[in-house]
Amino acid sequence: QVQLVESGGGLVQAGGSLRLSCAASGGTFSTYAMGWFRQAPGKEREFVGAISWSTMQSYYADSVKGRFTISRDNAKNTVYLQMNSLKAEDTAVYYCAADPLGSEYYTEGASYDYWGQGTQVTVSS
């Protein structure tokens, strides 16, 4: 059973930075596509970004493009989300997710089989 544990969330002022980490265990992490999603209070979960397992190609939602960067360290079974120039509207619980099949529908939560418990990010304006 794959387990994902996020960390690195917290309270930051607008314009600041945070780096989220997602540590995986129990599976073949290096072959999984990994995604980040977020959910703000009263809103639906939304795609933030994803990274492939093979080419390390990364993809981003328009709302975070140019500000957020996804990377992965397969030796450490960890995926990262570097968040810069944070805005109040980035406030949400952030979740990492694993897709063993590398679906082309990487923006859709249904493509991911495993999810972490989430980490809260709060950006004060």
Side-chain angles (χ1 to χ4, degrees), residues 91-102:
T91 295
V93 177
Y94 283 71
Y95 300 90
C96 70
D99 169 16
L101 300 181

Side-chain angles (χ1 to χ4, degrees), residues 30 50-59 70-74:
S30 61
I51 186 166
S52 72
W53 69 271
S54 55
T55 64
M56 300 296 185
Q57 181 79 38
S58 55
Y59 310 88
I70 295 176
S71 61
R72 64 190 297 164
D73 185 337
N74 288 338

Side-chain angles (χ1 to χ4, degrees), residues 103-115:
S103 169
E104 62 183 296
Y105 303 106
Y106 51 82
T107 64
E108 298 180 16
S111 295
Y112 297 83
D113 291 341
Y114 306 103
W115 293 81

Side-chain angles (χ1 to χ4, degrees), residues 1-108:
Q1 183 71 13
V2 175
Q3 290 188 322
L4 304 175
V5 179
E6 301 99 335
S7 61
L11 174 64
V12 64
Q13 289 187 334
S17 299
L18 280 175
R19 187 176 82 155
L20 306 184
S21 299
C22 172
S25 61
T28 313
F29 174 81
S30 61
T31 66
Y32 297 166
M34 299 297 296
W36 285 96
F37 291 77
R38 66 186 182 186
Q39 187 166 20
K43 295 187 177 181
E44 293 187 353
R45 182 178 63 194
E46 65 173 353
F47 170 76
V48 174
I51 186 166
S52 72
W53 69 271
S54 55
T55 64
M56 300 296 185
Q57 181 79 38
S58 55
Y59 310 88
Y60 300 94
D62 287 342
S63 58
V64 306
K65 201 171 294 182
R67 300 188 297 121
F68 290 10
T69 303
I70 295 176
S71 61
R72 64 190 297 164
D73 185 337
N74 288 338
K76 295 182 178 180
N77 287 356
T78 301
V79 63
Y80 303 97
L81 181 65
Q82 178 67 44
M83 305 185 294
N84 298 328
S85 302
L86 283 161
K87 305 176 182 179
E89 50 263 43
D90 295 319
T91 295
V93 177
Y94 283 71
Y95 300 90
C96 70
D99 169 16
L101 300 181
S103 169
E104 62 183 296
Y105 303 106
Y106 51 82
T107 64
E108 298 180 16

